[in-house]
Amino acid sequence: MQVVIDLILPVFAVIAIGFIAGKTKIVSANGAKTLNDYVLYITLPALLFHAVATAPLSHLTNWDFLFANLFGIIGAFLITVFVVRFVFKKRSAALSLYGMNASYGTSGFMGIPLLIVAFGQEAALPSAIATVIHNIPVIAVVILTFEWSRAKRQTDDQGTWDFLKSVFKPVLLHPIMISVILGLVFALARIPLPNSLNIFTGFLADATGPTALFAIGLALVNQKEALQWSSIMNKEIHFLIVIKTVLQPLLTIILVLFVFDLDPLWAITAILMSALPIGPVTFVLAQKYESITKETMIGIVLSLLISVITISLLFVFLIDYYSIPTP
């Protein structure tokens, strides 16, 4: 329990600092979008490149681990899209952002330190690989969905080839996609990262989490309605939080215990990574595409609070089930 609290409190502190900085006008509240662009185009690509390029090839092909994580993500994503479309009657590319809220967690800057603190340095490798899995597919789907929607509005009178080019060109040239592809080149060719490049990308990667969290606090200054009781009690937000903090880990537990064969530490990593609260990069994309920003912002904050309980309960269950000692 204490491990979870120790890691969640600093997350809230960074959000609070962002809010205070904007409220006191130390930093302009309008700067939230600039910070989000910095994360989306600079630090997040650096994080993904570094994680993929430095991962051992043998572990990148640990299919049981990859699929246990991936199927949990896909399950939560698709269930959410279905319910939001047919129950909440939402349409358009925003469906993919709802799905991201329900399946994308704080893996990079909360999941990795949480697992390392709880289980030691042996947890670093599986948690790093899980971070790659939890980042790439969902982010790629959101970008592709919104670019598809944008292209469809702009090219209704053009041919199929022009339409596909207008969709996939910005997706393939997006810094996130380029960084992942370059990382795979380094990993597949077994090219060691030059020390200077390793330090550079690692340095930028470390800024991803704090910057995104600070931007959330900054954005709250201009979102007074997001702090109202009616907004907090929004049924859509509650649904997303339940999917993210309860259903996704439950799906992953079923996959890990009954479908795939994983070593205990790798199994625990997959389950705990699936139980993390909504990741702040979701807000970065929501603001970029100007879609469900308020719901995403509230969901991130509330899911952080709830995850103190859910992750603590998971810790107790998993440590007892697998009989793994903590440092």
Side-chain angles (χ1 to χ4, degrees), residues 170-253:
V171 172
L172 293 176
L173 294 180
H174 196 285
I176 287 177
M177 300 303 143
I178 293 173
S179 66
V180 172
I181 293 170
L182 288 176
L184 284 171
V185 170
F186 273 80
L188 294 173
R190 302 179 187 273
I191 303 171
L193 281 185
N195 195 43
S196 56
L197 182 58
N198 184 47
I199 294 173
F200 170 70
T201 54
F203 190 52
L204 282 174
D206 290 341
T208 301
T211 305
L213 291 169
F214 185 89
I216 290 172
L218 204 58
L220 276 170
V221 175
N222 292 329
Q223 294 285 339
K224 293 181 180 179
E225 70 276 10
L227 302 176
Q228 295 175 354
W229 182 251
S230 58
S231 297
I232 294 173
M233 296 305 294
N234 186 300
K235 292 180 180 179
E236 292 178 17
I237 297 171
H238 295 172
F239 169 73
L240 295 175
I241 292 172
V242 169
I243 297 292
K244 182 68 198 75
T245 61
V246 179
L247 181 62
Q248 187 183 359
L250 182 60
L251 286 174
T252 308
I253 287 173

XYZ file of all heavy atoms in Angstrom, residues 170-253:
643
model
N 0.492 11.481 -43.192
C 0.757 12.107 -41.893
C 0.956 11.101 -40.769
O 1.674 11.371 -39.808
C -0.485 12.977 -41.642
C -1.540 12.431 -42.529
C -0.829 11.872 -43.716
N 0.325 9.908 -40.890
C 0.504 8.877 -39.861
C 1.932 8.327 -39.900
O 2.619 8.249 -38.886
C -0.516 7.733 -40.048
C -0.194 6.576 -39.112
C -1.926 8.239 -39.792
N 2.382 7.946 -41.082
C 3.717 7.350 -41.217
C 4.826 8.368 -40.963
O 5.928 7.991 -40.545
C 3.868 6.748 -42.621
C 2.979 5.533 -42.912
C 3.137 5.095 -44.364
C 3.308 4.371 -41.973
N 4.549 9.637 -41.214
C 5.549 10.675 -40.988
C 5.451 11.293 -39.597
O 6.206 12.209 -39.271
C 5.417 11.781 -42.047
C 5.736 11.371 -43.481
C 5.567 12.550 -44.430
C 7.158 10.800 -43.596
N 4.526 10.788 -38.808
C 4.388 11.294 -37.436
C 5.626 10.894 -36.632
O 6.131 9.770 -36.759
C 3.134 10.721 -36.780
C 2.708 11.455 -35.556
N 3.365 11.344 -34.354
C 1.699 12.342 -35.353
C 2.765 12.107 -33.455
N 1.761 12.732 -34.031
N 6.161 11.790 -35.802
C 7.370 11.464 -35.026
C 7.265 10.183 -34.200
O 8.252 9.466 -34.033
C 7.534 12.691 -34.122
C 6.903 13.797 -34.879
C 5.748 13.187 -35.616
N 6.063 9.872 -33.701
C 5.895 8.649 -32.914
C 6.136 7.419 -33.781
O 6.834 6.476 -33.381
C 4.489 8.610 -32.285
C 4.417 9.619 -31.129
C 4.159 7.206 -31.784
C 3.063 9.727 -30.489
N 5.562 7.405 -34.976
C 5.739 6.264 -35.873
C 7.194 6.144 -36.329
O 7.756 5.046 -36.373
C 4.820 6.401 -37.091
C 3.360 6.461 -36.746
S 2.843 5.001 -35.807
C 1.691 5.751 -34.671
N 7.784 7.274 -36.664
C 9.183 7.261 -37.100
C 10.082 6.745 -35.992
O 10.999 5.943 -36.222
C 9.620 8.680 -37.539
C 8.859 9.097 -38.799
C 11.127 8.725 -37.799
C 9.093 10.535 -39.211
N 9.830 7.172 -34.757
C 10.678 6.757 -33.634
C 10.580 5.252 -33.386
O 11.582 4.593 -33.100
C 10.290 7.526 -32.367
O 8.985 7.181 -31.932
N 9.372 4.700 -33.507
C 9.191 3.259 -33.299
C 9.886 2.466 -34.401
O 10.570 1.460 -34.143
C 7.689 2.909 -33.243
C 7.498 1.388 -33.236
C 7.051 3.521 -32.013
N 9.718 2.915 -35.651
C 10.359 2.227 -36.774
C 11.875 2.259 -36.646
O 12.561 1.237 -36.836
C 9.910 2.860 -38.111
C 8.420 2.593 -38.350
C 10.741 2.310 -39.282
C 7.827 3.382 -39.505
N 12.424 3.413 -36.298
C 13.873 3.520 -36.105
C 14.338 2.646 -34.940
O 15.397 2.002 -35.014
C 14.265 4.977 -35.846
C 14.200 5.926 -37.044
C 14.512 7.351 -36.609
C 15.171 5.482 -38.138
N 13.542 2.609 -33.880
C 13.888 1.753 -32.749
C 13.919 0.289 -33.129
O 14.813 -0.463 -32.712
N 12.954 -0.136 -33.959
C 12.927 -1.523 -34.429
C 14.139 -1.838 -35.305
O 14.683 -2.948 -35.248
C 11.638 -1.785 -35.209
C 10.370 -1.951 -34.368
C 9.130 -1.986 -35.269
C 10.458 -3.216 -33.520
N 14.552 -0.865 -36.109
C 15.751 -1.056 -36.938
C 16.969 -1.338 -36.056
O 17.735 -2.267 -36.306
C 16.003 0.177 -37.828
C 17.371 0.087 -38.496
C 14.908 0.303 -38.880
N 17.141 -0.540 -35.022
C 18.258 -0.747 -34.100
C 18.156 -2.097 -33.397
O 19.155 -2.810 -33.246
C 18.300 0.376 -33.052
C 19.066 1.591 -33.484
C 18.483 2.525 -34.326
C 20.366 1.811 -33.042
C 19.178 3.652 -34.731
C 21.071 2.926 -33.441
C 20.484 3.862 -34.294
N 16.928 -2.467 -32.969
C 16.746 -3.719 -32.242
C 16.954 -4.928 -33.138
O 17.667 -5.878 -32.771
C 15.358 -3.759 -31.611
N 16.336 -4.923 -34.319
C 16.425 -6.058 -35.234
C 17.834 -6.237 -35.788
O 18.296 -7.367 -35.992
C 15.426 -5.900 -36.379
C 13.948 -5.958 -35.977
C 13.053 -5.612 -37.164
C 13.588 -7.339 -35.435
N 18.530 -5.133 -36.044
C 19.891 -5.200 -36.573
C 20.937 -5.357 -35.455
O 22.131 -5.433 -35.744
C 20.198 -3.950 -37.393
N 20.440 -5.368 -34.217
C 21.321 -5.494 -33.036
C 22.400 -4.407 -33.026
O 23.576 -4.663 -32.733
C 21.968 -6.894 -32.983
C 20.957 -8.033 -32.949
C 21.641 -9.382 -32.918
N 20.697 -10.476 -33.045
C 20.051 -11.048 -32.027
N 20.257 -10.613 -30.807
N 19.222 -12.047 -32.239
N 21.991 -3.206 -33.357
C 22.907 -2.073 -33.345
C 22.890 -1.433 -31.962
O 21.839 -0.962 -31.510
C 22.501 -1.006 -34.389
C 22.435 -1.623 -35.787
C 23.463 0.174 -34.365
C 21.841 -0.683 -36.830
N 23.993 -1.422 -31.263
C 24.007 -0.782 -29.939
C 23.891 0.733 -30.079
O 24.465 1.334 -30.992
C 25.373 -1.175 -29.364
C 26.220 -1.469 -30.560
C 25.303 -2.014 -31.614
N 23.120 1.336 -29.191
C 22.982 2.783 -29.241
C 24.304 3.450 -28.855
O 24.894 3.097 -27.837
C 21.901 3.250 -28.257
C 20.429 3.116 -28.659
C 19.559 3.747 -27.585
C 20.151 3.749 -29.996
N 24.796 4.392 -29.662
C 25.958 5.179 -29.232
C 25.657 5.837 -27.887
O 24.503 6.213 -27.621
C 26.108 6.227 -30.340
C 25.419 5.627 -31.521
C 24.293 4.799 -30.978
N 26.654 5.954 -27.060
C 26.431 6.464 -25.713
C 25.768 7.838 -25.718
O 24.869 8.112 -24.915
C 27.765 6.526 -24.954
C 27.548 6.701 -23.463
O 26.671 6.057 -22.880
N 28.332 7.562 -22.837
N 26.197 8.697 -26.636
C 25.627 10.040 -26.694
C 24.138 9.997 -27.051
O 23.317 10.726 -26.479
C 26.379 10.897 -27.712
O 26.368 10.279 -28.988
N 23.755 9.107 -28.003
C 22.355 8.978 -28.397
C 21.532 8.352 -27.269
O 20.378 8.739 -27.030
C 22.246 8.130 -29.667
C 20.839 7.932 -30.242
C 20.197 9.283 -30.567
C 20.885 7.047 -31.484
N 22.125 7.406 -26.566
C 21.463 6.760 -25.445
C 21.137 7.780 -24.356
O 20.021 7.817 -23.821
C 22.359 5.657 -24.890
C 21.684 4.873 -23.787
O 20.535 4.461 -23.903
N 22.404 4.672 -22.692
N 22.105 8.627 -24.029
C 21.900 9.658 -23.003
C 20.877 10.692 -23.473
O 19.983 11.097 -22.728
C 23.235 10.339 -22.656
C 24.181 9.324 -21.984
C 23.011 11.549 -21.745
C 25.579 9.856 -21.766
N 21.005 11.102 -24.740
C 20.113 12.121 -25.293
C 18.653 11.672 -25.264
O 17.768 12.393 -24.776
C 20.549 12.445 -26.725
C 19.582 13.304 -27.489
C 19.405 14.635 -27.149
C 18.849 12.782 -28.552
C 18.504 15.434 -27.850
C 17.956 13.574 -29.253
C 17.787 14.908 -28.901
N 18.368 10.477 -25.794
C 16.980 10.006 -25.844
C 16.459 9.670 -24.453
O 15.292 9.923 -24.146
C 16.865 8.772 -26.757
O 17.806 7.761 -26.338
C 17.137 9.147 -28.204
N 17.323 9.123 -23.606
C 16.908 8.836 -22.237
C 16.581 10.103 -21.466
O 15.629 10.160 -20.685
N 17.374 11.143 -21.713
C 17.172 12.434 -21.058
C 15.825 13.035 -21.450
O 15.055 13.509 -20.608
C 18.324 13.372 -21.464
C 18.382 14.652 -20.687
C 18.369 14.643 -19.301
C 18.473 15.869 -21.349
C 18.427 15.831 -18.584
C 18.533 17.060 -20.638
C 18.507 17.038 -19.249
N 15.524 13.005 -22.746
C 14.235 13.514 -23.216
C 13.077 12.642 -22.720
O 12.026 13.147 -22.322
C 14.210 13.565 -24.743
C 14.940 14.722 -25.414
C 14.948 14.543 -26.927
C 14.299 16.062 -25.053
N 13.279 11.335 -22.740
C 12.222 10.412 -22.326
C 11.785 10.668 -20.893
O 10.598 10.585 -20.564
C 12.698 8.970 -22.486
N 12.744 10.992 -20.023
C 12.433 11.228 -18.617
C 11.519 12.433 -18.420
O 10.880 12.566 -17.368
C 13.721 11.431 -17.813
C 14.527 10.149 -17.674
O 13.937 9.063 -17.869
O 15.737 10.233 -17.397
N 11.475 13.321 -19.409
C 10.642 14.530 -19.283
C 9.193 14.285 -19.675
O 8.333 15.139 -19.424
C 11.222 15.647 -20.146
N 8.892 13.142 -20.275
C 7.548 12.896 -20.803
C 6.477 12.969 -19.721
O 5.522 13.738 -19.820
C 7.487 11.526 -21.502
O 8.434 11.497 -22.559
C 6.092 11.277 -22.062
N 6.609 12.163 -18.694
C 5.605 12.096 -17.637
C 5.398 13.408 -16.906
O 4.262 13.934 -16.859
N 6.449 13.971 -16.327
C 6.274 15.230 -15.584
C 5.705 16.359 -16.432
O 4.869 17.135 -15.959
C 7.711 15.554 -15.122
C 8.399 14.244 -15.072
C 7.810 13.444 -16.193
N 6.136 16.462 -17.687
C 5.649 17.542 -18.546
C 4.162 17.375 -18.842
O 3.389 18.339 -18.790
C 6.430 17.590 -19.871
O 7.824 17.689 -19.589
C 6.010 18.781 -20.715
N 3.745 16.143 -19.153
C 2.335 15.885 -19.443
C 1.466 16.152 -18.216
O 0.371 16.716 -18.326
C 2.151 14.446 -19.924
N 1.941 15.776 -17.037
C 1.184 15.999 -15.808
C 1.090 17.487 -15.483
O 0.042 17.989 -15.075
C 1.839 15.249 -14.644
C 1.752 13.723 -14.708
C 2.656 13.101 -13.652
C 0.319 13.257 -14.519
N 2.198 18.196 -15.648
C 2.213 19.642 -15.412
C 1.217 20.335 -16.347
O 0.494 21.245 -15.931
C 3.621 20.193 -15.645
C 3.778 21.652 -15.316
C 4.123 22.059 -14.039
C 3.589 22.620 -16.292
C 4.272 23.406 -13.727
C 3.733 23.973 -16.000
C 4.074 24.368 -14.712
N 1.156 19.875 -17.600
C 0.237 20.462 -18.576
C -1.218 20.229 -18.177
O -2.079 21.084 -18.425
C 0.501 19.883 -19.964
N -1.514 19.095 -17.551
C -2.876 18.826 -17.087
C -3.265 19.847 -16.024
O -4.350 20.433 -16.050
C -2.991 17.399 -16.527
C -2.894 16.380 -17.662
C -4.316 17.214 -15.776
C -2.799 14.948 -17.181
N -2.372 20.057 -15.048
C -2.642 21.047 -14.012
C -2.815 22.434 -14.587
O -3.706 23.202 -14.182
N -2.000 22.766 -15.567
C -2.060 24.076 -16.217
C -3.398 24.241 -16.947
O -4.031 25.302 -16.891
C -0.895 24.202 -17.197
C -0.395 25.594 -17.573
C 0.032 26.376 -16.345
C 0.764 25.479 -18.560
N -3.816 23.186 -17.626
C -5.071 23.247 -18.390
C -6.290 23.359 -17.477
O -7.321 23.920 -17.877
C -5.190 22.016 -19.282
N -6.192 22.845 -16.259
C -7.320 22.907 -15.329
C -7.706 24.342 -14.983
O -8.852 24.618 -14.623
C -6.982 22.148 -14.040
C -7.202 20.632 -14.058
C -6.606 20.007 -12.810
C -8.681 20.302 -14.160
N -6.748 25.259 -15.098
C -7.007 26.662 -14.771
C -8.118 27.225 -15.646
O -8.965 28.003 -15.179
C -5.715 27.510 -14.935
C -6.018 28.989 -14.714
C -4.647 27.028 -13.961
N -8.143 26.835 -16.903
C -9.167 27.326 -17.835
C -10.333 26.366 -17.998
O -11.119 26.490 -18.933
C -8.537 27.600 -19.208
C -7.587 28.770 -19.186
O -7.761 29.709 -18.411
N -6.561 28.730 -20.029
N -10.417 25.389 -17.104
C -11.484 24.394 -17.200
C -12.260 24.341 -15.887
O -12.346 23.307 -15.221
C -10.890 23.010 -17.518
C -10.250 22.897 -18.876
C -11.256 22.807 -19.996
O -12.403 22.444 -19.775
N -10.848 23.146 -21.199
N -12.819 25.486 -15.472
C -13.523 25.542 -14.192
C -14.701 24.571 -14.137
O -15.009 24.003 -13.098
C -14.015 26.971 -13.947
C -12.894 27.968 -13.719
C -13.450 29.362 -13.468
C -12.304 30.360 -13.251
N -12.804 31.736 -13.034
N -15.359 24.380 -15.289
C -16.498 23.466 -15.310
C -16.081 22.025 -15.064
O -16.867 21.194 -14.619
C -17.257 23.572 -16.640
C -16.517 23.027 -17.857
C -15.556 24.036 -18.465
O -15.316 25.079 -17.851
O -15.046 23.753 -19.567
N -14.796 21.728 -15.321
C -14.312 20.365 -15.097
C -14.231 20.038 -13.617
O -14.238 18.865 -13.235
C -12.926 20.198 -15.734
N -14.158 21.068 -12.781
C -14.044 20.856 -11.342
C -15.401 20.890 -10.648
O -15.470 20.735 -9.432
C -13.121 21.931 -10.738
C -11.705 21.979 -11.314
C -10.937 23.143 -10.702
C -10.972 20.671 -11.056
N -16.475 21.092 -11.403
C -17.800 21.126 -10.810
C -18.300 19.716 -10.521
O -17.921 18.747 -11.179
C -18.773 21.850 -11.749
C -18.442 23.328 -11.939
C -19.344 24.001 -12.964
O -20.148 23.332 -13.619
N -19.207 25.302 -13.095
N -19.189 19.605 -9.532
C -19.696 18.299 -9.106
C -20.405 17.572 -10.249
O -20.262 16.361 -10.400
C -20.651 18.478 -7.931
C -21.186 17.193 -7.387
C -22.462 16.705 -7.487
C -20.441 16.206 -6.654
N -22.563 15.489 -6.870
C -21.342 15.158 -6.340
C -19.124 16.114 -6.231
C -20.946 14.030 -5.624
C -18.725 14.991 -5.517
C -19.633 13.964 -5.218
N -21.142 18.297 -11.066
C -21.867 17.669 -12.175
C -20.910 17.028 -13.174
O -21.222 15.989 -13.772
C -22.743 18.702 -12.893
O -21.947 19.776 -13.374
N -19.744 17.642 -13.358
C -18.756 17.074 -14.282
C -18.119 15.830 -13.687
O -17.894 14.833 -14.374
C -17.678 18.117 -14.596
O -18.232 19.228 -15.259
N -17.818 15.889 -12.393
C -17.178 14.755 -11.728
C -18.106 13.545 -11.703
O -17.657 12.397 -11.755
C -16.762 15.152 -10.298
C -15.672 16.231 -10.351
C -16.274 13.949 -9.499
C -15.301 16.811 -9.012
N -19.428 13.780 -11.644
C -20.403 12.686 -11.580
C -20.848 12.221 -12.962
O -21.828 11.484 -13.089
C -21.624 13.138 -10.760
C -21.308 13.448 -9.305
S -20.489 12.060 -8.466
C -21.807 10.840 -8.478
N -20.140 12.601 -13.999
C -20.470 12.208 -15.366
C -20.407 10.680 -15.527
O -19.396 10.052 -15.206
C -19.478 12.890 -16.322
C -19.817 12.656 -17.770
O -19.865 11.528 -18.235
N -20.026 13.737 -18.501
N -21.488 10.073 -16.031
C -21.556 8.615 -16.159
C -20.528 8.070 -17.148
O -20.002 6.966 -16.952
C -22.964 8.196 -16.584
C -24.020 8.424 -15.518
C -25.388 7.975 -16.004
C -26.445 8.215 -14.935
N -27.807 7.799 -15.389
N -20.254 8.825 -18.197
C -19.258 8.371 -19.177
C -17.886 8.229 -18.520
O -17.166 7.259 -18.757
C -19.166 9.367 -20.334
C -20.403 9.428 -21.203
C -20.257 10.478 -22.288
O -19.118 10.917 -22.553
O -21.276 10.857 -22.875
N -17.529 9.211 -17.700
C -16.228 9.178 -17.021
C -16.161 7.998 -16.074
O -15.153 7.275 -16.028
C -15.985 10.500 -16.264
C -15.935 11.669 -17.250
C -14.683 10.430 -15.460
C -15.905 13.032 -16.596
N -17.226 7.764 -15.328
C -17.252 6.628 -14.396
C -17.101 5.313 -15.147
O -16.386 4.401 -14.694
C -18.557 6.630 -13.602
C -18.695 7.815 -12.698
N -19.845 8.104 -12.012
C -17.802 8.796 -12.371
C -19.677 9.209 -11.303
N -18.457 9.640 -11.507
N -17.769 5.212 -16.274
C -17.659 3.997 -17.087
C -16.219 3.770 -17.535
O -15.689 2.652 -17.434
C -18.584 4.109 -18.305
C -18.356 3.054 -19.341
C -18.752 1.744 -19.117
C -17.731 3.368 -20.538
C -18.523 0.761 -20.080
C -17.502 2.401 -21.504
C -17.903 1.093 -21.275
N -15.567 4.812 -18.033
C -14.182 4.693 -18.501
C -13.250 4.270 -17.370
O -12.358 3.435 -17.556
C -13.709 6.029 -19.093
C -14.418 6.506 -20.362
C -13.936 7.895 -20.750
C -14.196 5.523 -21.514
N -13.464 4.827 -16.189
C -12.607 4.493 -15.044
C -12.788 3.039 -14.630
O -11.814 2.341 -14.315
C -12.910 5.446 -13.867
C -12.457 6.868 -14.218
C -12.199 4.974 -12.597
C -12.880 7.914 -13.209
N -14.028 2.568 -14.630
C -14.285 1.165 -14.276
C -13.616 0.226 -15.280
O -13.004 -0.777 -14.897
C -15.807 0.895 -14.208
C -16.077 -0.605 -14.105
C -16.411 1.613 -13.012
N -13.725 0.543 -16.560
C -13.081 -0.289 -17.579
C -11.575 -0.306 -17.376
O -10.933 -1.361 -17.400
C -13.408 0.211 -19.000
C -14.917 0.112 -19.279
C -12.631 -0.592 -20.043
C -15.437 -1.295 -19.372
N -10.993 0.867 -17.116
C -9.534 0.968 -17.018
C -8.984 0.326 -15.757
O -7.966 -0.369 -15.797
C -9.100 2.455 -17.065
C -7.585 2.633 -17.013
C -6.949 2.116 -18.296
C -5.473 1.865 -18.159
N -5.135 0.655 -17.395
N -9.619 0.571 -14.624
C -9.046 0.119 -13.344
C -9.565 -1.236 -12.874
O -8.975 -1.841 -11.981
C -9.318 1.160 -12.240
O -10.735 1.316 -12.063
C -8.689 2.491 -12.583
N -10.668 -1.711 -13.482
C -11.237 -2.993 -13.043
C -11.289 -4.016 -14.179
O -10.739 -5.119 -14.060
C -12.654 -2.798 -12.450
C -13.235 -4.159 -12.030
C -12.613 -1.850 -11.261
N -11.948 -3.662 -15.293
C -12.158 -4.656 -16.349
C -10.866 -5.031 -17.064
O -10.612 -6.219 -17.293
C -13.179 -4.148 -17.362
C -13.490 -5.137 -18.493
C -14.104 -6.411 -17.938
C -14.412 -4.520 -19.532
N -10.043 -4.040 -17.427
C -8.804 -4.372 -18.146
C -7.888 -5.287 -17.325
O -7.399 -6.294 -17.840
C -8.054 -3.117 -18.568
C -6.858 -3.440 -19.469
C -6.040 -2.222 -19.845
O -6.358 -1.103 -19.454
N -4.987 -2.421 -20.609
N -7.641 -4.984 -16.030
C -6.831 -5.936 -15.254
C -7.490 -7.296 -15.091
O -6.805 -8.319 -15.074
C -6.655 -5.233 -13.899
C -7.600 -4.101 -13.882
C -7.872 -3.740 -15.295
N -8.825 -7.322 -15.003
C -9.526 -8.602 -14.893
C -9.333 -9.430 -16.159
O -9.063 -10.648 -16.087
C -11.016 -8.362 -14.634
C -11.875 -9.616 -14.445
C -11.382 -10.432 -13.257
C -13.338 -9.225 -14.243
N -9.454 -8.788 -17.320
C -9.207 -9.487 -18.586
C -7.772 -10.025 -18.645
O -7.536 -11.161 -19.071
C -9.437 -8.530 -19.761
C -10.877 -8.169 -20.118
C -10.890 -7.097 -21.207
C -11.633 -9.412 -20.598
N -6.830 -9.200 -18.215
C -5.426 -9.604 -18.263
C -5.144 -10.742 -17.291
O -4.364 -11.649 -17.598
C -4.514 -8.400 -17.949
O -4.878 -7.303 -18.790
C -3.050 -8.750 -18.199
N -5.763 -10.715 -16.122
C -5.605 -11.816 -15.153
C -6.081 -13.130 -15.759
O -5.419 -14.169 -15.646
C -6.388 -11.509 -13.856
C -5.678 -10.416 -13.059
C -6.523 -12.772 -12.996
C -6.462 -9.922 -11.858
